[in-house]
Amino acid sequence: MLKAIKQKIQKWRLDFENKKYKKKYIKKFGLIPPFETFLLKENNFSGRKLGIIYLTSYDGTFSINNTYLPLQELGTVFRFEMDPQDDRKGWYAKKERVNEEMIAYVKNVMKNNSIDIIVCYQSGRTLTQTTLDFFNTLTIPIINEGLDDERKFRSRRGPDGIYRGMKDVCRYFDLSLTTSKSALIKYGVEGGKALYKPYAANPEVYKKLGLEKKYDVAFVGAYYGTRPYYINYLRANGINVMIKGQGWDEGEATPNEMIEIFNQAKIVLGFAGVGISDEIFILKGRDFEVPLTGSFYMTQRHNELKEYFTLGHDIETYGTKEELLQKVQYYLSHEVEREKIAEWGYQKSLTHYTAKAAYEKIFSYLGL
């Protein structure tokens, strides 16, 4: 009951924030432009090798595989990671020092190398005002990615008075990239310029390995929210589910093990909830990583998925635990149909949703 109440409150808070920003945008700029205004479609990238500085707050598997490695395909990348251990409790005590180290690193790299662009994965939590002012002195494009703007565009204020999301820092970047449609106008209201960056994955990492399918259902991801509710229901009804991830008794998988597990699963399970909530669904990196491994993917159904995949053709979806069980049982006993869907999902992702092509469009837009 308490969890359900928290979910309702979170949904109400985000809906209220979205409505407030819509009113602010209309008051400031007039009519809200169509979504296509924020979407890049053409790829006119020059193809030349770029000098790239990559400033990241913390690199997990997703950002390493789908940002850092694709950037390396496009040029020479100089990478500064602010907090490798993701030390959330002790971060603010060292925030000023780490930012000073990052500024010194950028100055040194630019002194000794030809740099075309700075790519950031940062937020108000990680950046100081000193760093933001330093960004203003540079003459090359600085772009920043926001992967969780659906619920954390503003977030709460840190001890230094800066909002932990993008609200206070977005105006210091030449371009912000967000995977959240609702955040696009928020960037404008706060003085930033944003484009929508569709989700994509790296086919050089997430790929077919030709392994035997030995798991009926597999899930790789952390233990939280309603995930145990669905998985326990499948297990209670006789489905063999292989699990790896933080918080599960089975332990975590290394990045390579994860890709092997995807390849070895007849069905790879996904979840679309934000945090603990099943009230808010968003796209996930898994939606694009799993199909590239050639495996059948089934995740929670929501409208945004329809903009990327033909549901029931490229991937499968479910709405309730009962529907999930019914579809798992069906596809486990219909191998030919299951593998056809897996192949269609693979071809769709390989053709349209690769990380390298996404960055090429962005760099092309910036005239690089």
Side-chain angles (χ1 to χ4, degrees):
M1 177 63 72
L2 181 59
K3 183 182 293 185
I5 293 174
K6 287 183 177 179
Q7 290 181 5
K8 295 290 185 183
I9 292 174
Q10 183 184 47
K11 180 66 163 56
W12 176 87
R13 180 181 63 80
L14 291 174
D15 286 345
F16 178 76
E17 181 179 297
N18 290 341
K19 290 178 182 178
K20 186 169 68 172
Y21 267 104
K22 284 181 180 178
K23 290 181 179 178
K24 287 184 176 181
Y25 188 95
I26 292 171
K27 184 176 180 180
K28 189 172 184 179
F29 300 108
L31 293 177
I32 295 175
F35 168 67
E36 287 71 24
T37 306
F38 303 98
L39 184 63
L40 295 178
K41 295 182 179 180
E42 295 185 358
N43 183 352
N44 297 312
F45 179 55
S46 65
R48 69 184 179 91
K49 292 297 182 181
L50 302 177
I52 303 168
I53 294 177
Y54 174 46
L55 306 177
T56 177
S57 56
Y58 164 72
D59 264 344
T61 302
F62 179 84
S63 54
I64 289 174
N65 290 343
N66 301 314
T67 298
Y68 182 47
L69 294 180
L71 288 177
Q72 287 185 318
E73 294 185 61
L74 297 170
T76 301
V77 182
F78 301 88
R79 174 173 170 264
F80 185 94
E81 185 177 20
M82 300 182 80
D83 194 11
Q85 302 302 314
D86 199 22
D87 182 9
R88 295 185 181 278
K89 291 184 178 179
W91 168 248
Y92 277 94
K94 60 183 181 181
K95 181 177 179 178
E96 288 282 351
R97 174 180 58 79
V98 176
N99 270 260
E100 290 172 0
E101 292 173 357
M102 186 170 70
I103 291 172
Y105 176 84
V106 172
K107 288 180 176 179
N108 183 61
V109 170
M110 294 187 70
K111 178 181 178 181
N112 296 292
N113 301 274
S114 176
I115 299 300
D116 298 286
I117 190 168
I118 297 177
V119 178
C120 301
Y121 178 41
Q122 303 283 356
S123 67
R125 173 185 174 269
T126 59
L127 297 173
T128 62
Q129 188 60 51
T130 300
T131 298
L132 296 170
D133 292 339
F134 169 68
F135 284 168
N136 271 346
T137 68
L138 301 179
T139 57
I140 60 173
I142 306 174
I143 64 176
N144 188 61
E145 296 203 45
L147 297 178
D148 204 8
D149 290 333
E150 188 67 31
R151 64 190 180 107
K152 290 184 177 180
F153 176 80
R154 187 180 66 169
S155 195
R156 62 188 186 278
R157 290 185 188 272
D160 55 1
I162 300 176
Y163 277 101
R164 298 173 194 240
M166 302 301 178
K167 177 184 182 297
D168 287 343
V169 301
C170 64
R171 64 183 179 275
Y172 292 92
F173 299 103
D174 295 285
L175 182 65
S176 294
L177 307 170
T178 182
T179 55
S180 169
K181 288 184 176 181
S182 66
L184 288 165
I185 62 172
K186 298 178 184 179
Y187 278 97
V189 169
E190 301 298 346
K193 181 177 182 180
L195 290 175
Y196 181 77
K197 181 176 180 284
Y199 267 102
N202 186 355
E204 298 299 316
V205 175
Y206 301 96
K207 55 189 176 181
K208 294 181 180 182
L209 299 177
L211 303 177
E212 178 188 355
K213 300 286 187 183
K214 64 179 185 179
Y215 306 122
D216 287 341
V217 178
F219 171 70
V220 180
Y223 178 109
Y224 67 80
T226 59
R227 293 174 173 185
Y229 170 76
Y230 287 95
I231 289 172
N232 290 338
Y233 182 77
L234 289 179
R235 286 176 163 175
N237 283 275
I239 304 299
N240 183 19
V241 186
M242 195 280 187
I243 303 172
K244 286 284 187 177
Q246 185 178 15
W248 298 99
D249 292 338
E250 291 84 350
E252 298 184 45
T254 66
N256 288 338
E257 287 173 339
M258 176 180 68
I259 296 166
E260 290 177 1
I261 291 169
F262 290 164
N263 272 267
Q264 293 169 323
K266 297 174 183 176
I267 298 173
V268 180
L269 184 61
F271 294 96
V274 173
I276 65 169
S277 180
D278 258 0
E279 294 285 334
I280 306 166
F281 290 156
I282 62 171
L283 292 166
K284 301 279 189 172
R286 289 286 189 270
D287 302 339
F288 304 89
E289 295 168 346
V290 174
L292 283 173
T293 66
S295 287
F296 177 94
Y297 181 62
M298 180 154 50
T299 190
Q300 288 171 303
R301 185 165 50 252
H302 60 97
N303 287 333
E304 204 166 358
L305 278 171
K306 298 177 184 177
E307 299 174 16
Y308 290 83
F309 300 103
T310 301
L311 307 188
H313 183 276
D314 304 322
I315 63 171
E316 237 329 336
T317 59
Y318 63 93
T320 65
K321 67 182 191 299
E322 291 83 8
E323 184 183 6
L324 171 61
L325 175 62
Q326 181 268 322
K327 286 189 173 180
V328 165
Q329 291 171 333
Y330 177 84
Y331 284 110
L332 286 177
S333 62
H334 290 76
E335 180 180 356
V336 173
E337 187 176 349
R338 184 185 73 231
E339 293 307 309
K340 278 186 178 179
I341 292 174
E343 180 61 21
W344 282 323
Y346 169 77
Q347 293 296 338
K348 177 67 72 70
S349 297
L350 189 63
T351 303
H352 299 288
Y353 310 130
T354 63
K356 180 184 176 184
Y359 284 110
E360 286 177 342
K361 288 181 181 180
I362 295 160
F363 294 162
S364 169
Y365 173 81
L366 293 170
L368 297 175

